[in-house]
């Protein structure tokens, strides 16, 4: 079984008919990314050359992270906002010339809405929150596919640690570090809840997040 076929087998049943897994075709692509390829169709693209350097459990959790983004409706979409902003600004300038107040307000409203959407898309805090929510979903998906809670946390934590070690850009590395810290807190919470349920301290330890 090829790696792409193996990853397809890790898709939850509710995503199998409209989520596709393909090798990235771009030059110097990201390790794994999402692309909306049509109405109600999404493609997970993998840089297979770099992907093969990761442990299989790390690959699985990184893959489920992307599936988690899909299930959370956090898919990066085409930048219609830039076109709308350009149209709105162009319209506003035109209406200043012809002095049509209503059309000027409509053009300014379009520009403002597009600008706000661009701000949300590029807001680093929102990107981090979306990624943390996707990490939580990845843990749930791993458990659906047979992972224990401790091993799910350990695998995702190990994957994030590996990404940190491989990432040279400071801003991107900090992003992975923030995700890892959030995962550690989530693991501590899960350990506490499981300890209460089972009456023991065995299950998830925060050290598991770091792959130790």
């Amino acid at each position: 079984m090829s790696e792409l076929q193996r990853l397809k087998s890790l898709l939850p049943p509710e995503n199998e008919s409209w989520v596709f897994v393909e090798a990235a075709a771009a030059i110097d692509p990201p390790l794994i990314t999402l692309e909306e390829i049509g109405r109600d169709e999404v493609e997970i693209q993998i840089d297979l050359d770099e992907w093969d350097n990761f442990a299989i459990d790390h690959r699985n959790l990184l893959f489920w992270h992307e599936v988690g983004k899909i299930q959370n409706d956090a898919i990066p979409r085409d930048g219609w906002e830039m076109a709308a902003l350009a149209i709105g600004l162009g319209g506003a300038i035109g209406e200043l010339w012809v002095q049509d107040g209503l059309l000027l307000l409509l053009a300014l409203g379009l520009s403002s809405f597009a600008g706000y959407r661009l701000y949300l898309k590029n807001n680093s805090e929102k990107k981090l929150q979306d990624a943390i929510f996707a990490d939580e979903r990845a843990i749930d998906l791993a458990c659906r596919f047979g992972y224990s809670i401790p091993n799910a946390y350990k695998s995702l934590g190990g994957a994030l640690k590996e990404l940190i070690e491989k990432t040279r850009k400071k801003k991107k590395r900090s992003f992975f570090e923030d995700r890892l810290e959030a995962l550690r807190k989530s693991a501590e919470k899960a350990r506490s809840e499981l300890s209460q349920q089972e009456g023991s301290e065995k299950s998830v330890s925060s050290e598991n997040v770091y792959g130790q």
Side-chain angles (χ1 to χ4, degrees):
M1 181 186 294
S2 73
E3 178 64 4
L4 292 178
Q5 289 174 321
R6 190 188 73 81
L7 291 173
K8 288 174 186 177
S9 73
L10 298 180
L11 285 170
E14 62 268 26
N15 298 120
E16 286 178 350
S17 63
W18 58 281
V19 176
F20 305 93
V21 187
E22 300 293 342
I27 297 173
D28 193 24
L31 176 68
I32 181 168
T33 191
L34 296 175
E35 183 175 327
E36 197 170 44
I37 58 174
R39 190 174 182 181
D40 298 327
E41 289 186 343
V42 179
E43 194 170 85
I44 301 175
Q45 298 177 354
I46 312 283
D47 178 2
L48 289 174
D49 290 337
E50 193 63 32
W51 187 253
D52 287 341
N53 294 325
F54 286 74
I56 192 164
D57 283 334
H58 295 179
R59 292 184 226 163
N60 291 349
L61 269 294
L62 291 173
F63 178 76
W64 283 320
H65 170 85
E66 298 302 316
V67 177
K69 283 200 283 191
I70 295 169
Q71 294 190 343
N72 290 341
D73 195 27
I75 306 164
R77 289 182 167 84
D78 290 337
W80 62 266
E81 293 92 349
M82 284 300 294
L85 183 61
I87 292 169
L89 289 174
I93 292 170
E95 298 313 325
L96 281 172
W97 182 261
V98 301
Q99 296 183 340
D100 188 319
L102 178 59
L103 291 178
L104 174 62
L105 287 175
L106 288 173
L108 288 174
L110 177 61
S111 298
S112 298
F113 179 69
Y116 176 68
R117 290 284 299 180
L118 281 171
Y119 166 77
L120 288 181
K121 282 182 71 173
N122 295 301
N123 183 275
S124 57
E125 196 170 312
K126 183 180 184 300
K127 284 184 177 179
L128 176 60
Q129 203 59 50
D130 286 344
I132 290 171
F133 288 153
D135 284 339
E136 293 174 356
R137 181 75 73 165
I139 296 295
D140 292 339
L141 288 166
C143 292
R144 281 179 62 180
F145 279 81
Y147 279 68
S148 67
I149 293 176
N151 282 339
Y153 275 104
K154 181 177 180 179
S155 297
L156 182 53
L160 289 172
K161 187 178 180 184
E162 193 168 355
L163 286 172
I164 291 167
E165 292 172 349
K166 291 175 180 288
T167 301
R168 295 182 180 179
K169 292 183 179 179
K170 184 176 179 181
K171 186 175 180 180
K172 196 170 184 180
R173 188 169 63 247
S174 178
F175 178 76
F176 293 135
E177 288 170 347
D178 288 341
R179 280 175 58 188
L180 186 60
E181 177 61 19
L183 190 70
R184 183 187 65 80
K185 292 177 180 178
S186 177
E188 290 174 349
K189 183 179 178 182
R191 177 189 60 184
S192 176
E193 290 174 353
L194 286 175
S195 295
Q196 290 176 6
Q197 292 173 8
E198 299 176 4
S200 72
E201 293 290 331
K202 289 182 180 179
S203 296
V204 183
S205 68
S206 59
E207 288 82 4
N208 281 335
V209 172
Y210 296 92
Q212 297 175 350

